[in-house]
Amino acid sequence: MNGEITGELIKSAIAKQIKASHGAKIYKEQIVQNFSRPCFFIWTVSVEQRQLTRQLFERVYMMEVRYHAQEEDTRLYETLCEVGNKLAYKLKSIDVPILVRSGGEELVEQLLPVKGTEIEFKVSEDVLIFNVNYNVKMKLPTTQQIPMQTLDIHNVRRMK
């Protein structure tokens, strides 16, 4: 859909933000074995949608970023906490690329800043688990117009 923000666009924006500050490999799909460290995995955990008005909705993308440090890291816990703090700063706002129609009907890419909320991280089994929510308000197009009825005022009796 024109101008719609999807989980894939948010994942790509997160990956771009991480890539700018870390040299680690980034995976956007789950890889169970044979991945190189250090690396990040980015997932869309879930998506919630709430109706605010007739056509206005709020969609909440719950994202998870996992960081696997070098196996030989002698300061593993400190490294994971340091990366978690950097991610909390870097992912508090991301620029999501969307396509919008310009004045001449052509589609133009525009960066839309989206703020992260409910940011938290923890270290579990030597892996950093970082969670962040991105709330996006969207207006969905109407599928059908409800026709209005006409009222004939000439045939209405006046009440006294």
Side-chain angles (χ1 to χ4, degrees):
M1 183 187 292
N2 181 27
E4 182 179 1
I5 295 178
T6 64
E8 288 302 311
L9 288 174
I10 289 178
K11 266 201 268 188
S12 294
I14 290 171
K16 186 176 181 180
Q17 201 82 336
I18 291 172
K19 192 173 199 145
S21 61
H22 291 81
K25 178 110 174 108
I26 300 171
Y27 298 98
K28 292 196 269 179
E29 301 297 329
Q30 185 173 3
I31 296 177
V32 179
Q33 54 188 334
N34 298 329
F35 58 88
S36 59
R37 293 172 179 242
C39 66
F40 291 91
F41 289 90
I42 305 170
W43 290 287
T44 304
V45 176
S46 65
V47 180
E48 291 181 7
Q49 182 169 297
R50 295 183 277 277
Q51 188 169 3
L52 303 175
T53 64
R54 185 174 181 185
Q55 289 178 272
L56 187 64
F57 292 83
E58 180 179 53
R59 196 173 281 173
V60 180
Y61 292 93
M62 288 162 247
M63 307 301 291
E64 182 175 283
V65 178
R66 290 187 180 223
Y67 176 70
H68 296 263
Q70 287 283 3
E71 290 184 72
E72 312 86 42
D73 193 338
T74 58
R75 297 179 41 244
L76 182 61
Y77 184 79
E78 291 84 5
T79 299
L80 295 174
C81 289
E82 184 180 307
V83 171
N85 285 315
K86 286 181 182 177
L87 287 178
Y89 177 74
K90 290 287 185 184
L91 299 181
K92 68 182 179 185
S93 180
I94 57 174
D95 291 324
V96 180
I98 61 169
L99 294 175
V100 294
R101 293 213 182 273
S102 69
E105 292 297 316
E106 62 193 56
L107 290 175
V108 177
E109 186 176 284
Q110 181 179 8
L111 294 177
L112 180 69
V114 179
K115 290 185 180 184
T117 62
E118 299 182 38
I119 296 173
E120 65 180 23
F121 68 88
K122 65 181 178 181
V123 175
S124 177
E125 298 180 14
D126 297 335
V127 176
L128 172 69
I129 302 168
F130 183 91
N131 294 295
V132 58
N133 293 350
Y134 292 101
N135 301 0
V136 178
K137 288 194 170 91
M138 57 185 8
K139 186 175 183 179
L140 298 180
T142 55
T143 54
Q144 61 173 311
Q145 299 269 339
I146 300 172
M148 294 183 68
Q149 296 178 349
T150 57
L151 175 64
D152 186 2
I153 60 170
H154 297 290
N155 293 333
V156 177
R157 288 168 106 194
R158 285 193 134 172
M159 297 178 84
K160 293 183 181 183

